[in-house]
């Protein structure tokens, strides 16, 4: 693994300037360091200059007070996530705050414009692929993707074959994970790390992080032209309504949640409240004559669009898991009849499986006739004997992931693993090579982060949220996740990661 670049979001991804401080910049007074933040301003990336000047004038005590206030407010509002498998001392499940960092990640207008075009292109191609998978399968017939990679994929849903969905959009809400890392010339380049097309989460933290920054540091927003994100719920509702079945002039939209014990329940309730729609559980819904209704105090009300935050397997006990109580019996029959829209569509998981990820650039070329704007991270597929041989010979230098893994689990970060961990993973790969992919260990960009010792570099990624209905649109930025453990490359909240506000500066 390449050595961590010092604040390379602030300085760029070239090697750290010789006159920049060698160690983590303490730069804050009081308990977390001493003196002003000594940033050599002639080396700063232009879009960080104003913020760096503001930060240099802050005291450690003031920054600490802001962080404490943020924690109190987040806890009061209930911005938590459940940790599956974790128990408190009384044996009950635990809820945790996702740590919020006070120092924003800043993206200039030109970089965001490129990202936006690339995201629109990628999500459009992925939706074309999903339509093709469940209809003509032309990409398979063209020999670009092996049939077994799709038809034998655990996320492929044969019941969706031939089903028409509004505007041929399967993933109405996509979360695309982006990282910035050096290319061959040492310059910073954005790469797509992962496509999340089923039930991507995290947008509520993007919105709440912005509200918190505006509350704690209002003067910064007077000094910087930061593009707004608060209108995301309006765009989401517009997208959902536009996806309603034909003839629904005033569509009724609901958010379907597994319930309060789900790790993302706060987000489900938050988005329903922000959109002004009902938050429902499976028991609140029923079907009659191929229509879906929700129970209300005034009697049954027909539902036109379901923004589901429930996985496929639990949506309908008559089709998937018979024991599931999270969905609604008969939902899939109504869905296939075209009387209700489910967003995201059933079966989208086949396109965000990590075994399909390496083919996305080919999808862009095949369906759109364009060259990909955003590159994939180079990827080895362990199901291929030659690539498996390379991976097994280089485990200590690679990141290996389960194709169905999520949340930072089921992966090996070779440079940060012990010899025993590597050998255990080697055995797992050999036992099931088609279940794994491998990638180089990128030197992810790092951003100044306020930690206990002061201001220090921590690795980050970015999850923009792309909405697809009659058009593809998004708010500027997304959720920046930060690996708070020094040297860690894992940004997931379940693995100790935190979040930052993401600023896209308007031109």
């Amino acid at each position: 693994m390449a050595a961590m670049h010092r604040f390379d979001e602030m300085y760029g991804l070239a090697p750290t300037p010789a006159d920049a401080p060698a160690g983590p910049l303490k730069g804050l007074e009081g308990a977390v360091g001493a003196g002003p933040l000594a940033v050599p301003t002639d080396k700063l990336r232009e879009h960080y200059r104003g913020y760096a000047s503001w930060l240099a004038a802050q005291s450690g005590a003031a920054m600490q007070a802001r962080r404490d206030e943020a924690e109190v407010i987040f806890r009061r509002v209930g911005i938590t996530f459940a940790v599956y498998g974790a128990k408190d001392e009384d044996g009950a499940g635990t809820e945790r705050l996702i740590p919020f960092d006070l120092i924003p990640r800043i993206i200039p207008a030109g970089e965001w414009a490129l990202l936006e075009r690339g995201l629109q292109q990628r999500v459009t191609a992925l939706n074309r692929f999903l339509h093709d998978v469940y209809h003509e399968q032309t990409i398979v017939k063209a020999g670009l993707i092996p049939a077994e990679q799709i038809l034998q994929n655990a996320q492929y849903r044969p019941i969706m074959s031939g089903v028409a969905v509004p505007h041929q959009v399967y993933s109405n809400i996509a979360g695309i994970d982006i990282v910035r890392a050096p290319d061959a010339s040492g310059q910073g380049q954005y790469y797509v790390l992962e496509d999340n097309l089923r039930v991507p989460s995290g947008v509520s933290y993007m919105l709440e992080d912005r509200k918190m920054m505006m509350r704690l540091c209002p003067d910064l927003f007077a000094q910087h032209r930061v593009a707004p994100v608060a209108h995301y719920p309006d765009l989401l509702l517009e997208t959902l309504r536009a996806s309603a079945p034909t003839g629904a002039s005033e569509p009724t939209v609901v958010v379907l949640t597994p319930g309060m014990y789900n790790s993302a329940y706060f987000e489900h309730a938050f988005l329903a409240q922000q959109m002004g729609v009902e938050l429902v559980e499976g028991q609140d819904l029923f079907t009659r004559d191929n229509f879906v209704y929700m129970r209300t105090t005034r009697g049954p009300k027909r539902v036109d669009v379901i923004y589901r935050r429930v996985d496929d397997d639990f949506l309908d006990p008559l089709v998937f898991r018979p024991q599931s109580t999270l969905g609604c019996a008969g939902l899939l029959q109504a869905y296939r009849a075209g009387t209700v829209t489910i967003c995201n569509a059933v079966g989208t998981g086949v396109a965000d499986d990590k075994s399909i990820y390496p083919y996305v650039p080919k999808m862009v070329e095949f369906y759109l006739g364009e060259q990909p704007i955003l590159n994939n991270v180079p990827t080895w597929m362990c199901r291929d004997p030659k690539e498996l041989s390379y991976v097994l010979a280089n485990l200590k230098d690679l990141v290996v992931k389960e194709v169905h893994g999520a949340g930072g689990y089921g992966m090996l970060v070779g440079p940060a693993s012990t010899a025993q961990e590597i050998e255990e993973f080697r055995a797992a790969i050999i036992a099931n090579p088609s279940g794994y992919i491998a990638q180089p260990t990128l030197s992810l960009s790092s951003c100044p982060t306020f930690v206990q010792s002061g201001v220090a570099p921590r690795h980050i990624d970015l999850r923009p949220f792309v909405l697809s209905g009659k058009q593809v649109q998004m708010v500027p930025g997304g959720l920046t996740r930060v690996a708070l453990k020094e040297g860690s490359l894992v940004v997931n909240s379940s693995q100790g990661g935190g979040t930052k506000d993401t600023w896209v500066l308007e031109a």
Side-chain angles (χ1 to χ4, degrees), residues 490-507:
V490 182
V491 299
N492 305 81
S493 57
S494 56
Q495 304 289 306
T499 66
K500 289 174 171 285
D501 191 14
T502 307
W503 293 4
V504 172
L505 300 183
E506 296 180 322

Side-chain angles (χ1 to χ4, degrees), residues 313-314 316-327:
D313 287 341
F314 303 95
D316 187 341
L318 299 183
V319 176
F320 300 118
R321 296 192 183 187
Q323 69 274 26
S324 172
T325 60
L326 302 179

Side-chain angles (χ1 to χ4, degrees), residues 254 256-258 280-295 301 303 306 308 310-335 340 342 346:
V254 299
L256 175 62
T257 177
V280 300
E281 297 183 29
Q283 62 189 356
D284 300 317
L285 303 176
F286 68 94
T287 62
R288 181 194 299 158
D289 300 327
N290 277 354
F291 290 93
V292 179
Y293 298 87
M294 66 173 162
R295 297 179 173 88
K301 183 174 179 59
V303 173
I306 299 174
R308 55 84 170 238
V310 176
D311 289 337
D312 285 357
D313 287 341
F314 303 95
L315 279 175
D316 187 341
L318 299 183
V319 176
F320 300 118
R321 296 192 183 187
Q323 69 274 26
S324 172
T325 60
L326 302 179
C328 171
L331 176 58
L332 264 291
Q333 185 171 330
Y335 182 45
V340 67
I342 299 175
V346 174

Side-chain angles (χ1 to χ4, degrees), residues 64 80 104 139 183 195 208 291 300 327 329 356 379 426 501:
Q64 185 66 52
T80 61
I139 199 167
D183 58 17
D195 302 296
E208 289 295 324
F291 290 93
I356 297 296
T379 302
R426 183 190 306 276
D501 191 14

